[in-house]
Amino acid sequence: MSVLIVGGGLSGICLGHTLEQQNIDFKIIDCNQNHSSKVAAGMINPMTFRRMIKSWKADELIPFLNQFYAQVEEKIEEKFLFPIRLRRAFASEHERALWIERLNNPQYANFVNPIERSETTPNYLKDNFGNAFISTPGYIDAKTFMEANHRYFIQKDCLQYDNFDYSALDVENKTYDSKAYTQLVFAEGFQGEDNPFFGYLPFKNAKGEVLTINSSDFREDEILNRKCFVLPTKNGDFKLGSTYAWDTKSTEPTQGAREALLERYEGLSTAIIEVVGHEAGIRPTAADRRPMLGEHPQYKDLFIFNGLGAKGYMLAPYFADAFVKYLMGKAPLDKEVDIQRFYKKHFKK
């Protein structure tokens, strides 16, 4: 096997490591203009707070990513996964009641913890309804992750910076720029909606913006969360995020998003902050909020690995492993992520 991966963001990196584990030759082509993978706060949150339920497949994803990222850290000799607690401040009595229900449910034992006492709650947290910790692996320092992995793959001669030229792709003979591959995988992130082969898929990309802030008040051993998050970084500053905006391809930060984040922050904390940075990226997301993986219905051995969305750092390791097994013919894809779920709408049987 010899695999060409188009895109060196989170998806392409995780695919590269998984292929390397299987001793499969691969090449990553990346335009070196990735946005969402570097800008992402990288918080790994196993809960969906709107309904106070576990995130989709959390019981499978969390153990897998712990092992995967630890192995990658050792291999590339760089630390990028940082353990930290996640403190959820409840937004209502209803949320508090739902949390108590989860505490009494054995299926949530790995994730939810007892409600915190007032004496263990920071005095700067606006805590009208109580708070509790979610058990989480922590967060990925996205910039470190991207830069260190790119260095690693460049040194291995597995990654080159270049704009992908669709006109140089011969899908019938599976060659790109006259070089033959057994499989070609598009992992282009939000730019996948412009892909001439997979642009028919229902991308619903979401722009997200994050502020970098400073404060002398915050604890550095926990993430705060309610309608926004405050996440400590290894540099000593904090990330305040994040926003969602649809129907835009602009990666420029906006004043509107800055104001929205600061307004949400005022509902979370009284700590005085200083804004020192502002970044934006576009999350590759499908309309049904599930990854889009699989083979093109008309071109054999032409694949897509995309649509991981806001929880990409939680999803990517597990689904990279599943996808490589699929490429090797060892296992089918989960029907919830297989792009066959969209075939009926766009292609005749």
Side-chain angles (χ1 to χ4, degrees):
M1 287 178 66
S2 178
V3 181
L4 176 64
I5 301 169
V6 183
L10 170 63
S11 295
I13 287 171
C14 289
L15 283 173
H17 283 297
T18 307
L19 290 166
E20 188 176 56
Q21 289 171 359
Q22 298 294 330
N23 296 313
I24 297 172
D25 289 334
F26 66 94
K27 188 79 170 186
I28 301 172
I29 295 178
D30 184 67
C31 64
N32 198 26
Q33 295 178 348
N34 186 274
H35 296 288
S36 61
S37 295
K38 287 182 180 178
V39 172
M43 182 172 64
I44 298 171
N45 178 12
M47 293 288 289
T48 298
F49 290 132
R50 282 176 298 176
R51 292 181 290 164
M52 268 322 167
I53 59 174
K54 288 186 288 187
S55 295
W56 177 62
K57 288 186 176 293
D59 290 310
E60 300 163 80
L61 298 173
I62 297 297
F64 196 94
L65 72 85
N66 277 328
Q67 182 178 20
F68 179 88
Y69 287 133
Q71 290 173 345
V72 172
E73 284 183 327
E74 182 177 359
K75 181 165 62 172
I76 71 173
E77 299 181 338
E78 187 72 62
K79 179 70 177 172
F80 53 77
L81 174 58
F82 295 93
I84 195 169
R85 304 183 299 174
L86 172 57
R87 187 192 292 267
R88 170 66 179 186
F90 305 131
S92 64
E93 282 292 351
H94 178 64
E95 275 197 7
R96 181 187 177 96
L98 286 176
W99 190 268
I100 293 171
E101 285 184 23
R102 307 300 179 245
L103 275 172
N104 295 321
N105 185 338
Q107 295 183 11
Y108 284 79
N110 290 334
F111 302 117
V112 300
N113 294 281
I115 293 175
E116 288 292 300
R117 303 184 306 275
S118 59
E119 58 266 30
T120 63
T121 297
N123 58 13
Y124 51 77
L125 181 67
K126 293 186 177 180
D127 184 39
N128 294 332
F129 305 102
N131 69 91
F133 284 108
I134 296 94
S135 297
T136 169
Y139 78 96
I140 301 289
D141 184 292
K143 185 177 181 181
T144 299
F145 176 85
M146 291 293 299
E147 292 177 350
N149 277 289
H150 274 216
R151 286 196 301 270
Y152 173 80
F153 285 127
I154 288 171
Q155 290 169 0
K156 301 276 287 188
D157 196 28
C158 296
L159 169 65
Q160 70 179 63
Y161 292 141
D162 200 1
N163 291 319
F164 186 79
D165 181 4
Y166 292 103
S167 67
L169 174 63
D170 183 338
V171 293
E172 300 294 339
N173 295 307
K174 291 178 285 187
T175 65
Y176 177 71
D177 202 18
S178 301
K179 183 175 180 180
Y181 298 89
T182 55
Q183 288 99 1
L184 299 97
V185 182
F186 289 104
E188 300 162 293
F190 80 95
Q191 295 169 324
E193 66 179 351
D194 298 321
N195 183 293
F197 303 102
F198 293 100
Y200 73 89
L201 292 170
F203 280 88
K204 191 172 176 61
N205 296 329
K207 181 178 181 179
E209 302 191 40
V210 178
L211 302 179
T212 301
I213 60 176
N214 282 335
S215 176
S216 59
D217 295 330
F218 292 132
R219 294 181 184 176
E220 297 184 357
D221 63 346
E222 64 183 45
I223 303 167
L224 299 180
N225 181 287
R226 184 179 63 223
K227 297 186 178 180
C228 64
F229 62 78
V230 176
L231 184 152
T233 76
K234 67 176 185 178
N235 300 322
D237 52 27
F238 300 82
K239 296 291 185 181
L240 171 60
S242 65
T243 60
Y244 283 81
W246 289 266
D247 302 319
T248 179
K249 293 184 178 181
S250 170
T251 56
E252 291 298 315
T254 63
Q255 182 64 23
R258 175 189 171 111
E259 292 173 358
L261 285 170
L262 292 176
E263 182 178 351
R264 292 175 200 171
Y265 172 77
E266 288 181 1
L268 175 66
S269 172
T270 60
I272 297 172
I273 62 173
E274 176 191 9
V275 178
V276 296
H278 187 177
E279 298 172 288
I282 300 180
R283 310 173 184 93
T285 306
D288 64 0
R289 298 293 189 271
R290 293 289 181 264
M292 295 185 290
L293 317 182
E295 187 174 26
H296 195 279
Q298 295 176 332
Y299 300 109
K300 183 173 174 57
D301 294 318
L302 194 68
F303 299 88
I304 187 170
F305 188 100
N306 209 326
L308 301 188
K311 295 201 174 187
Y313 279 96
M314 191 163 84
L315 295 167
Y318 178 90
F319 282 107
D321 180 74
F323 189 78
V324 169
K325 288 176 181 174
Y326 166 68
L327 290 183
M328 297 172 70
K330 292 185 175 182
L333 287 173
D334 186 320
K335 291 181 179 180
E336 287 191 82
V337 303
D338 195 326
I339 58 171
Q340 288 190 35
R341 68 193 191 271
F342 304 119
Y343 283 5
K344 289 182 180 179
K345 185 174 181 180
H346 297 278
F347 298 95
K348 295 180 179 179
K349 292 184 177 180

